[in-house]
Coordinates of all heavy atoms in Angstrom, one line a residue:
M1 N 0.8 -1.2 0.0 CA 0.0 0.0 0.0 C 0.9 1.2 0.0 O 1.5 1.6 1.0 CB -0.9 0.0 1.3 CG -2.0 -0.9 1.2 SD -2.9 -0.7 2.7 CE -3.7 -2.3 2.7
S2 N 1.0 1.9 -1.1 CA 1.9 3.1 -1.2 C 1.3 4.3 -0.4 O 2.1 5.1 0.0 CB 2.2 3.4 -2.6 OG 0.9 3.6 -3.3
A3 N 0.0 4.4 -0.3 CA -0.6 5.6 0.3 C -1.0 5.3 1.8 O -1.8 6.0 2.3 CB -1.8 6.0 -0.5
A4 N -0.4 4.3 2.4 CA -0.7 4.0 3.8 C -0.4 5.1 4.7 O 0.7 5.8 4.6 CB 0.1 2.7 4.2
S5 N -1.3 5.4 5.6 CA -1.0 6.5 6.6 C -1.2 6.0 8.0 O -0.8 6.6 9.0 CB -2.0 7.6 6.3 OG -3.3 7.2 6.4
W6 N -1.8 4.8 8.2 CA -2.0 4.2 9.5 C -1.4 2.8 9.6 O -1.3 2.1 8.6 CB -3.5 4.1 9.8 CG -4.1 5.4 10.2 CD1 -4.5 6.4 9.4 CD2 -4.2 5.9 11.6 NE1 -4.9 7.5 10.1 CE2 -4.7 7.2 11.5 CE3 -3.8 5.4 12.8 CZ2 -4.9 8.0 12.6 CZ3 -4.1 6.2 13.9 CH2 -4.6 7.5 13.8
F7 N -0.9 2.4 10.8 CA -0.3 1.2 11.0 C -0.9 0.5 12.2 O -1.1 1.1 13.2 CB 1.2 1.4 11.2 CG 1.9 2.0 10.1 CD1 2.0 3.4 10.0 CD2 2.5 1.2 9.1 CE1 2.7 4.0 8.9 CE2 3.2 1.8 8.0 CZ 3.2 3.2 7.9
L8 N -1.0 -0.8 12.0 CA -1.4 -1.7 13.1 C -0.1 -2.3 13.6 O 0.7 -2.8 12.7 CB -2.3 -2.8 12.6 CG -2.7 -4.0 13.5 CD1 -3.2 -3.5 14.9 CD2 -3.6 -4.9 12.9
Y9 N 0.2 -2.3 14.9 CA 1.5 -2.9 15.4 C 1.2 -3.8 16.5 O 0.2 -3.8 17.2 CB 2.4 -1.7 15.8 CG 1.9 -0.9 16.9 CD1 2.1 -1.2 18.2 CD2 1.1 0.3 16.6 CE1 1.6 -0.4 19.3 CE2 0.6 1.1 17.6 CZ 0.9 0.7 19.0 OH 0.4 1.5 20.0
L10 N 2.2 -4.7 16.7 CA 2.1 -5.7 17.8 C 3.4 -5.6 18.6 O 4.5 -5.6 18.1 CB 2.0 -7.1 17.2 CG 1.8 -8.2 18.2 CD1 0.4 -8.1 18.9 CD2 1.8 -9.6 17.5
L11 N 3.2 -5.3 19.9 CA 4.4 -5.2 20.8 C 4.5 -6.5 21.7 O 3.5 -7.1 22.1 CB 4.2 -4.0 21.8 CG 4.0 -2.7 21.2 CD1 3.8 -1.6 22.3 CD2 5.1 -2.3 20.2
E12 N 5.7 -6.8 22.0 CA 6.0 -7.8 23.1 C 6.2 -7.1 24.4 O 7.1 -6.2 24.4 CB 7.2 -8.7 22.7 CG 7.5 -9.7 23.8 CD 8.7 -10.6 23.5 OE1 9.5 -10.2 22.6 OE2 8.8 -11.6 24.1
C13 N 5.6 -7.5 25.4 CA 5.7 -6.8 26.7 C 6.6 -7.6 27.6 O 6.9 -8.8 27.4 CB 4.3 -6.6 27.4 SG 3.3 -5.5 26.4
S14 N 7.1 -7.0 28.7 CA 8.1 -7.6 29.6 C 7.6 -8.9 30.2 O 8.5 -9.7 30.6 CB 8.5 -6.6 30.7 OG 7.3 -6.2 31.4
D15 N 6.3 -9.1 30.4 CA 5.8 -10.3 30.9 C 5.5 -11.4 29.9 O 5.0 -12.4 30.2 CB 4.6 -10.1 31.8 CG 3.4 -9.5 31.0 OD1 3.6 -9.2 29.8 OD2 2.4 -9.4 31.6
G16 N 5.9 -11.1 28.6 CA 5.7 -12.1 27.5 C 4.3 -11.9 26.8 O 4.1 -12.5 25.8
S17 N 3.5 -11.0 27.3 CA 2.2 -10.7 26.7 C 2.4 -9.9 25.5 O 3.5 -9.3 25.2 CB 1.3 -10.1 27.7 OG 1.8 -8.8 28.0
Y18 N 1.3 -9.8 24.7 CA 1.3 -9.0 23.5 C 0.4 -7.8 23.6 O -0.6 -7.9 24.3 CB 0.9 -9.8 22.2 CG 1.8 -10.8 21.8 CD1 1.3 -11.9 21.0 CD2 3.1 -10.8 22.1 CE1 2.1 -12.8 20.5 CE2 4.0 -11.8 21.6 CZ 3.5 -12.8 20.8 OH 4.3 -13.8 20.3
Y19 N 0.7 -6.7 23.0 CA -0.2 -5.5 23.0 C -0.3 -5.1 21.5 O 0.7 -4.9 20.8 CB 0.4 -4.4 23.8 CG -0.5 -3.1 23.7 CD1 -1.6 -2.9 24.4 CD2 -0.1 -2.1 22.8 CE1 -2.4 -1.8 24.2 CE2 -0.9 -1.0 22.6 CZ -2.0 -0.8 23.3 OH -2.8 0.3 23.2
A20 N -1.5 -4.9 21.1 CA -1.8 -4.4 19.7 C -2.4 -3.0 19.7 O -3.2 -2.7 20.6 CB -2.8 -5.3 19.0
G21 N -1.9 -2.2 18.8 CA -2.4 -0.8 18.7 C -2.3 -0.3 17.3 O -1.8 -1.0 16.4
I22 N -2.8 0.9 17.1 CA -2.7 1.6 15.8 C -2.0 2.9 16.0 O -2.2 3.6 17.0 CB -4.0 1.7 15.0 CG1 -5.0 2.5 15.8 CG2 -4.6 0.3 14.7 CD1 -6.3 2.9 15.0
S23 N -1.4 3.4 14.9 CA -0.7 4.7 15.0 C -0.3 5.1 13.6 O -0.2 4.3 12.7 CB 0.6 4.6 15.9 OG 1.3 5.8 15.9
T24 N -0.1 6.4 13.4 CA 0.5 6.9 12.2 C 2.0 6.9 12.2 O 2.6 7.0 11.1 CB 0.0 8.4 11.9 OG1 0.4 9.2 13.0 CG2 -1.5 8.4 11.7
D25 N 2.6 6.7 13.4 CA 4.1 6.7 13.5 C 4.4 5.6 14.6 O 4.4 6.0 15.8 CB 4.6 8.0 13.9 CG 6.1 8.1 14.0 OD1 6.8 7.0 14.1 OD2 6.7 9.2 13.9
V26 N 4.6 4.4 14.2 CA 4.8 3.3 15.1 C 6.0 3.6 16.1 O 6.0 3.3 17.3 CB 4.9 2.0 14.4 CG1 5.3 0.8 15.4 CG2 3.7 1.7 13.7
E27 N 7.1 4.0 15.5 CA 8.3 4.3 16.4 C 8.1 5.3 17.4 O 8.5 5.1 18.6 CB 9.5 4.7 15.5 CG 10.1 3.6 14.6 CD 10.7 2.4 15.4 OE1 11.2 2.6 16.5 OE2 10.6 1.3 14.9
A28 N 7.4 6.4 17.1 CA 7.1 7.4 18.0 C 6.1 6.9 19.1 O 6.3 7.2 20.3 CB 6.5 8.7 17.3
R29 N 5.1 6.2 18.7 CA 4.2 5.6 19.6 C 4.8 4.6 20.5 O 4.5 4.6 21.7 CB 3.0 4.9 18.8 CG 1.9 4.4 19.7 CD 1.2 5.5 20.4 NE 0.1 5.0 21.2 CZ -0.3 5.5 22.4 NH1 0.2 6.6 22.8 NH2 -1.3 5.0 23.1
F30 N 5.8 3.8 20.0 CA 6.5 2.9 20.9 C 7.3 3.6 21.9 O 7.3 3.2 23.1 CB 7.5 2.0 20.0 CG 8.3 1.0 20.8 CD1 7.7 0.0 21.5 CD2 9.7 1.1 20.8 CE1 8.4 -0.9 22.2 CE2 10.4 0.2 21.4 CZ 9.8 -0.8 22.2
R31 N 7.9 4.8 21.6 CA 8.6 5.6 22.6 C 7.7 6.1 23.7 O 8.1 6.2 24.8 CB 9.4 6.7 21.9 CG 10.6 6.3 21.1 CD 11.5 7.4 20.6 NE 10.8 8.3 19.7 CZ 10.7 8.2 18.4 NH1 11.2 7.1 17.8 NH2 10.0 9.1 17.7
V32 N 6.5 6.4 23.3 CA 5.5 6.9 24.3 C 5.2 5.7 25.2 O 5.1 5.9 26.4 CB 4.2 7.4 23.6 CG1 3.1 7.7 24.6 CG2 4.5 8.7 22.8
H33 N 5.0 4.5 24.7 CA 4.7 3.4 25.5 C 5.9 3.1 26.5 O 5.7 2.9 27.6 CB 4.5 2.1 24.7 CG 3.2 2.1 24.0 ND1 2.0 2.1 24.6 CD2 2.9 1.9 22.7 CE1 1.0 2.0 23.8 NE2 1.5 1.9 22.5
L34 N 7.1 3.2 25.9 CA 8.3 3.0 26.8 C 8.4 4.0 27.9 O 8.9 3.7 29.0 CB 9.6 3.1 25.9 CG 9.9 1.9 25.0 CD1 11.1 2.3 24.1 CD2 10.1 0.7 25.8
S35 N 8.0 5.3 27.7 CA 8.1 6.3 28.7 C 7.0 6.2 29.8 O 7.1 6.9 30.8 CB 7.9 7.7 28.0 OG 6.5 7.9 27.7
G36 N 6.1 5.2 29.6 CA 5.0 5.0 30.6 C 3.8 5.9 30.4 O 3.0 6.0 31.3
K37 N 3.8 6.6 29.3 CA 2.7 7.5 29.1 C 1.7 7.0 28.0 O 0.9 7.7 27.5 CB 3.2 8.9 28.7 CG 4.0 9.5 29.8 CD 4.5 10.9 29.4 CE 5.3 11.5 30.5 NZ 6.0 12.7 30.1
G38 N 1.9 5.7 27.6 CA 1.1 5.1 26.5 C -0.2 4.6 27.1 O -0.8 5.1 28.1
A39 N -0.7 3.5 26.6 CA -1.9 2.9 27.0 C -1.8 2.3 28.4 O -0.7 2.0 28.9 CB -2.2 1.7 26.1
R40 N -2.9 2.2 29.1 CA -2.9 1.7 30.5 C -2.3 0.3 30.5 O -1.5 0.0 31.5 CB -4.4 1.6 31.0 CG -4.5 1.1 32.4 CD -5.9 1.0 32.9 NE -6.5 2.3 32.8 CZ -7.8 2.5 32.8 NH1 -8.6 1.5 32.8 NH2 -8.3 3.7 32.7
Y41 N -2.5 -0.5 29.5 CA -2.0 -1.8 29.5 C -0.4 -1.8 29.5 O 0.2 -2.5 30.2 CB -2.5 -2.6 28.3 CG -2.0 -4.1 28.4 CD1 -2.8 -5.0 29.1 CD2 -0.9 -4.5 27.8 CE1 -2.4 -6.3 29.2 CE2 -0.5 -5.8 27.9 CZ -1.2 -6.7 28.6 OH -0.8 -8.0 28.7
T42 N 0.1 -0.9 28.7 CA 1.6 -0.9 28.6 C 2.2 -0.2 29.8 O 3.4 -0.3 30.0 CB 2.1 -0.3 27.3 OG1 1.6 1.0 27.1 CG2 1.7 -1.2 26.1
R43 N 1.5 0.6 30.5 CA 2.0 1.1 31.8 C 2.2 0.0 32.8 O 3.1 0.0 33.6 CB 1.1 2.2 32.3 CG 1.1 3.5 31.5 CD 0.5 4.7 32.2 NE -0.9 4.5 32.5 CZ -1.9 4.9 31.7 NH1 -1.7 5.5 30.5 NH2 -3.1 4.7 32.1
A44 N 1.3 -0.9 32.8 CA 1.4 -2.1 33.7 C 2.2 -3.2 33.2 O 2.8 -4.0 34.0 CB 0.0 -2.6 34.0
H45 N 2.4 -3.3 31.9 CA 3.2 -4.3 31.2 C 4.1 -3.7 30.2 O 3.8 -3.6 29.0 CB 2.2 -5.3 30.4 CG 1.1 -5.8 31.3 ND1 1.2 -7.0 32.0 CD2 -0.1 -5.3 31.5 CE1 0.1 -7.2 32.6 NE2 -0.7 -6.2 32.4
P46 N 5.2 -3.1 30.7 CA 6.1 -2.4 29.8 C 6.5 -3.1 28.6 O 6.9 -4.3 28.7 CB 7.3 -2.1 30.7 CG 6.8 -2.2 32.1 CD 5.8 -3.2 32.1
P47 N 6.5 -2.5 27.4 CA 6.9 -3.1 26.2 C 8.4 -3.3 26.0 O 9.2 -2.5 26.5 CB 6.3 -2.2 25.1 CG 6.4 -0.9 25.7 CD 6.1 -1.1 27.2
L48 N 8.8 -4.4 25.4 CA 10.2 -4.6 25.1 C 10.6 -4.3 23.7 O 11.6 -3.8 23.4 CB 10.5 -6.1 25.3 CG 10.3 -6.6 26.8 CD1 10.6 -8.2 26.8 CD2 11.3 -5.9 27.7
R49 N 9.7 -4.7 22.7 CA 10.0 -4.5 21.3 C 8.8 -4.5 20.5 O 7.8 -5.0 20.9 CB 11.0 -5.5 20.8 CG 10.5 -6.9 20.9 CD 11.6 -7.9 20.6 NE 11.1 -9.3 20.7 CZ 11.0 -10.2 19.7 NH1 11.5 -9.8 18.5 NH2 10.6 -11.4 19.9
I50 N 8.9 -4.0 19.3 CA 7.9 -4.1 18.2 C 8.1 -5.4 17.5 O 9.2 -5.7 17.0 CB 8.0 -2.9 17.2 CG1 7.9 -1.6 17.9 CG2 7.0 -3.1 16.1 CD1 8.2 -0.4 17.1
L51 N 7.1 -6.3 17.6 CA 7.2 -7.6 16.9 C 6.8 -7.5 15.4 O 7.5 -8.1 14.6 CB 6.2 -8.6 17.6 CG 6.6 -9.0 19.0 CD1 5.4 -9.9 19.5 CD2 7.9 -9.8 18.9
A52 N 5.8 -6.7 15.1 CA 5.4 -6.7 13.7 C 4.5 -5.4 13.5 O 4.0 -4.9 14.5 CB 4.6 -7.9 13.3
Q53 N 4.4 -5.0 12.2 CA 3.5 -3.9 11.9 C 3.0 -4.1 10.5 O 3.6 -4.8 9.7 CB 4.1 -2.6 12.1 CG 5.3 -2.4 11.2 CD 6.0 -1.1 11.6 OE1 5.6 -0.3 12.3 NE2 7.2 -0.8 10.9
R54 N 1.8 -3.6 10.2 CA 1.2 -3.6 8.9 C 0.6 -2.3 8.6 O -0.1 -1.7 9.4 CB 0.2 -4.8 8.8 CG -0.4 -4.9 7.4 CD -1.5 -5.9 7.3 NE -0.9 -7.3 7.3 CZ -1.7 -8.4 7.3 NH1 -3.0 -8.3 7.3 NH2 -1.1 -9.5 7.4
A55 N 0.7 -1.8 7.4 CA 0.2 -0.6 6.9 C -1.2 -0.7 6.4 O -1.6 -1.7 5.8 CB 1.1 0.0 5.8
Y56 N -2.0 0.4 6.6 CA -3.4 0.5 6.2 C -3.6 1.9 5.6 O -2.9 2.9 6.0 CB -4.4 0.2 7.3 CG -4.3 -1.2 7.7 CD1 -3.5 -1.7 8.7 CD2 -5.1 -2.1 7.1 CE1 -3.4 -3.0 9.0 CE2 -5.1 -3.5 7.4 CZ -4.2 -3.9 8.4 OH -4.2 -5.2 8.7
A57 N -4.5 2.0 4.7 CA -4.8 3.3 4.0 C -5.4 4.4 4.9 O -5.2 5.5 4.7 CB -5.6 3.1 2.8
D58 N -6.2 3.9 5.9 CA -6.8 4.9 6.8 C -7.1 4.4 8.2 O -6.9 3.2 8.4 CB -8.2 5.4 6.1 CG -9.1 4.2 5.8 OD1 -9.4 3.4 6.7 OD2 -9.5 4.1 4.6
R59 N -7.5 5.3 9.1 CA -7.7 4.9 10.5 C -8.8 3.8 10.6 O -8.7 2.9 11.4 CB -8.0 6.1 11.3 CG -8.2 5.8 12.8 CD -8.6 7.0 13.6 NE -8.7 6.5 15.0 CZ -8.2 7.1 16.0 NH1 -7.5 8.2 15.9 NH2 -8.4 6.6 17.2
S60 N -9.9 4.0 9.9 CA -11.0 3.1 10.0 C -10.6 1.6 9.7 O -10.9 0.7 10.4 CB -12.1 3.5 9.1 OG -13.2 2.6 9.1
T61 N -9.8 1.5 8.6 CA -9.4 0.1 8.2 C -8.4 -0.4 9.2 O -8.5 -1.6 9.6 CB -8.7 0.2 6.8 OG1 -9.6 0.8 5.9 CG2 -8.4 -1.2 6.3
A62 N -7.5 0.4 9.7 CA -6.6 0.0 10.7 C -7.3 -0.4 12.0 O -6.9 -1.4 12.6 CB -5.5 1.1 11.0
S63 N -8.3 0.3 12.4 CA -9.1 0.0 13.6 C -9.8 -1.3 13.5 O -9.9 -2.1 14.4 CB -10.1 1.1 13.9 OG -9.4 2.3 14.3
R64 N -10.4 -1.6 12.3 CA -11.1 -2.9 12.1 C -10.1 -4.0 12.1 O -10.4 -5.1 12.7 CB -11.8 -2.8 10.8 CG -13.1 -2.1 10.8 CD -14.0 -2.3 9.6 NE -13.4 -1.9 8.3 CZ -13.3 -0.7 7.8 NH1 -13.9 0.3 8.4 NH2 -12.7 -0.5 6.6
A65 N -8.9 -3.8 11.6 CA -7.9 -4.8 11.6 C -7.4 -5.1 13.0 O -7.1 -6.2 13.4 CB -6.7 -4.4 10.7
E66 N -7.3 -4.0 13.8 CA -6.9 -4.2 15.2 C -7.9 -5.0 16.0 O -7.5 -5.9 16.7 CB -6.7 -2.8 15.9 CG -6.4 -2.9 17.3 CD -6.4 -1.5 18.0 OE1 -7.0 -0.6 17.5 OE2 -5.8 -1.4 19.1
W67 N -9.2 -4.7 15.8 CA -10.2 -5.5 16.4 C -10.1 -7.0 16.0 O -10.2 -7.9 16.9 CB -11.6 -4.9 16.0 CG -12.7 -5.6 16.6 CD1 -13.2 -5.5 17.9 CD2 -13.6 -6.5 15.9 NE1 -14.3 -6.3 18.1 CE2 -14.6 -6.9 16.9 CE3 -13.7 -7.0 14.6 CZ2 -15.6 -7.8 16.5 CZ3 -14.7 -7.8 14.3 CH2 -15.6 -8.3 15.3
E68 N -9.9 -7.2 14.7 CA -9.8 -8.6 14.2 C -8.6 -9.3 14.9 O -8.7 -10.4 15.3 CB -9.6 -8.6 12.7 CG -9.6 -10.0 12.1 CD -9.4 -9.9 10.6 OE1 -9.9 -9.0 9.9 OE2 -8.8 -10.8 10.0
L69 N -7.5 -8.6 14.9 CA -6.2 -9.2 15.5 C -6.4 -9.5 17.0 O -6.0 -10.6 17.5 CB -5.1 -8.2 15.4 CG -3.8 -8.6 16.0 CD1 -3.2 -9.9 15.4 CD2 -2.8 -7.5 15.9
K70 N -7.1 -8.6 17.7 CA -7.3 -8.8 19.2 C -8.2 -10.0 19.5 O -8.1 -10.6 20.6 CB -7.8 -7.6 19.8 CG -6.7 -6.5 19.9 CD -7.3 -5.3 20.6 CE -6.1 -4.3 20.8 NZ -6.5 -3.1 21.6
K71 N -9.0 -10.5 18.5 CA -9.9 -11.6 18.7 C -9.1 -13.0 18.5 O -9.5 -14.0 19.0 CB -11.0 -11.6 17.7 CG -12.0 -10.6 17.9 CD -13.3 -10.7 17.0 CE -12.9 -11.0 15.6 NZ -14.1 -11.2 14.7
L72 N -7.9 -12.9 17.9 CA -7.2 -14.1 17.6 C -6.5 -14.7 18.9 O -6.1 -13.9 19.7 CB -6.1 -13.9 16.5 CG -6.6 -13.5 15.1 CD1 -5.4 -13.2 14.3 CD2 -7.4 -14.7 14.6
P73 N -6.3 -16.0 18.9 CA -5.5 -16.5 20.0 C -4.1 -16.0 19.9 O -3.6 -15.7 18.8 CB -5.5 -18.0 19.8 CG -6.5 -18.3 18.7 CD -6.8 -17.0 18.0
R74 N -3.4 -16.0 21.0 CA -2.1 -15.4 21.1 C -1.1 -16.0 20.1 O -0.4 -15.2 19.4 CB -1.5 -15.7 22.5 CG -0.1 -15.3 22.7 CD 0.5 -15.8 24.0 NE 1.9 -15.8 24.0 CZ 2.7 -14.7 24.2 NH1 2.1 -13.6 24.5 NH2 4.0 -14.8 24.2
G75 N -1.1 -17.3 19.9 CA -0.2 -17.9 18.9 C -0.4 -17.5 17.5 O 0.5 -17.6 16.7
R76 N -1.5 -16.9 17.2 CA -1.8 -16.6 15.8 C -1.6 -15.1 15.5 O -1.7 -14.6 14.4 CB -3.2 -17.0 15.4 CG -3.3 -18.5 15.3 CD -4.6 -19.0 14.9 NE -5.1 -18.4 13.6 CZ -6.3 -18.3 13.3 NH1 -7.3 -18.7 14.1 NH2 -6.6 -17.7 12.1
K77 N -1.4 -14.3 16.5 CA -1.4 -12.8 16.4 C -0.2 -12.4 15.5 O -0.4 -11.6 14.5 CB -1.3 -12.1 17.7 CG -2.6 -12.1 18.4 CD -2.5 -11.4 19.7 CE -3.8 -11.1 20.5 NZ -4.8 -12.0 20.5
Q78 N 1.0 -12.8 15.8 CA 2.2 -12.4 15.0 C 2.1 -12.9 13.6 O 2.4 -12.2 12.6 CB 3.5 -12.8 15.7 CG 4.7 -12.2 15.0 CD 6.0 -12.4 15.8 OE1 6.0 -12.9 16.8 NE2 7.1 -12.0 15.2
A79 N 1.7 -14.1 13.4 CA 1.6 -14.7 12.1 C 0.6 -13.9 11.2 O 0.8 -13.7 10.1 CB 1.2 -16.2 12.2
W80 N -0.5 -13.5 11.9 CA -1.5 -12.7 11.2 C -0.9 -11.4 10.6 O -1.1 -11.0 9.5 CB -2.7 -12.4 12.1 CG -3.8 -11.7 11.4 CD1 -4.9 -12.3 10.8 CD2 -4.0 -10.3 11.3 NE1 -5.7 -11.4 10.3 CE2 -5.2 -10.1 10.6 CE3 -3.3 -9.2 11.7 CZ2 -5.7 -8.9 10.4 CZ3 -3.8 -8.0 11.5 CH2 -5.0 -7.8 10.8
L81 N -0.1 -10.8 11.4 CA 0.5 -9.5 11.0 C 1.5 -9.7 9.9 O 1.7 -8.8 9.1 CB 1.1 -8.8 12.2 CG 0.1 -7.9 12.9 CD1 0.8 -7.3 14.2 CD2 -0.4 -6.7 12.1
E82 N 2.2 -10.8 10.0 CA 3.4 -11.0 9.0 C 2.9 -11.6 7.7 O 3.7 -11.6 6.8 CB 4.4 -11.9 9.7 CG 5.1 -11.2 10.9 CD 6.0 -12.1 11.6 OE1 6.0 -13.3 11.5 OE2 6.8 -11.5 12.4
R83 N 1.7 -12.1 7.6 CA 1.3 -12.8 6.4 C 1.2 -11.7 5.2 O 1.0 -10.6 5.5 CB 0.0 -13.5 6.5 CG -1.2 -12.6 6.6 CD -2.5 -13.4 6.5 NE -3.6 -12.5 6.2 CZ -4.6 -12.2 7.1 NH1 -4.6 -12.8 8.3 NH2 -5.5 -11.3 6.8
Q84 N 1.4 -12.2 4.0 CA 1.3 -11.4 2.9 C -0.2 -10.9 2.7 O -1.1 -11.6 3.0 CB 1.8 -12.1 1.6 CG 3.2 -12.5 1.6 CD 4.1 -11.2 1.6 OE1 3.8 -10.3 1.0 NE2 5.2 -11.3 2.3
E85 N -0.3 -9.7 2.1 CA -1.6 -9.2 1.8 C -2.3 -10.2 0.8 O -1.6 -10.7 -0.1 CB -1.6 -7.8 1.2 CG -1.2 -6.8 2.1 CD -2.3 -6.5 3.2 OE1 -3.5 -6.6 2.8 OE2 -2.0 -6.2 4.3
D86 N -3.6 -10.4 0.9 CA -4.3 -11.3 0.0 C -4.7 -10.6 -1.2 O -4.8 -9.5 -1.3 CB -5.6 -11.9 0.7 CG -5.2 -12.7 2.0 OD1 -4.3 -13.5 1.9 OD2 -5.9 -12.5 3.0

């Protein structure tokens, strides 16, 4: 997607859990999570690294994808983000 402006990302947290979110700038958002000023979940479960990210054309599409990703079992989350676009 050449015109992508939103990204769905998956973080690995210090306790081994995953956190999914959307942003227009994943690196900047990750720094906010690291600083303790991000989502409530990442304040309690500090993130270690960005596992994967996928670009979307708009916020609405990224939000729907985030909802879909969050429904998946833990073992399928990273594979879902890394798969090729259909």
Side-chain angles (χ1 to χ4, degrees):
M1 286 182 199
S2 59
S5 60
W6 282 86
F7 298 87
L8 170 57
Y9 62 90
L10 186 66
L11 304 179
E12 178 183 19
C13 298
S14 59
D15 63 355
S17 64
Y18 290 160
Y19 174 81
I22 62 170
S23 178
T24 56
D25 184 339
V26 175
E27 291 295 330
R29 185 66 179 146
F30 181 61
R31 288 191 298 275
V32 171
H33 286 302
L34 286 175
S35 75
K37 296 179 182 174
R40 181 180 301 159
Y41 187 85
T42 59
R43 289 194 299 267
H45 308 268
L48 297 175
R49 64 188 176 117
I50 300 168
L51 289 175
Q53 61 186 354
R54 184 185 284 178
Y56 290 89
D58 54 53
R59 182 184 179 129
S60 176
T61 307
S63 291
R64 283 191 302 272
E66 178 187 16
W67 179 76
E68 183 180 328
L69 176 63
K70 287 181 174 183
K71 292 190 311 180
L72 293 176
R74 174 187 164 81
R76 292 184 52 206
K77 285 180 171 39
Q78 188 172 355
W80 185 88
L81 273 174
E82 292 173 344
R83 77 171 192 246
Q84 294 295 323
E85 288 292 323
D86 298 317

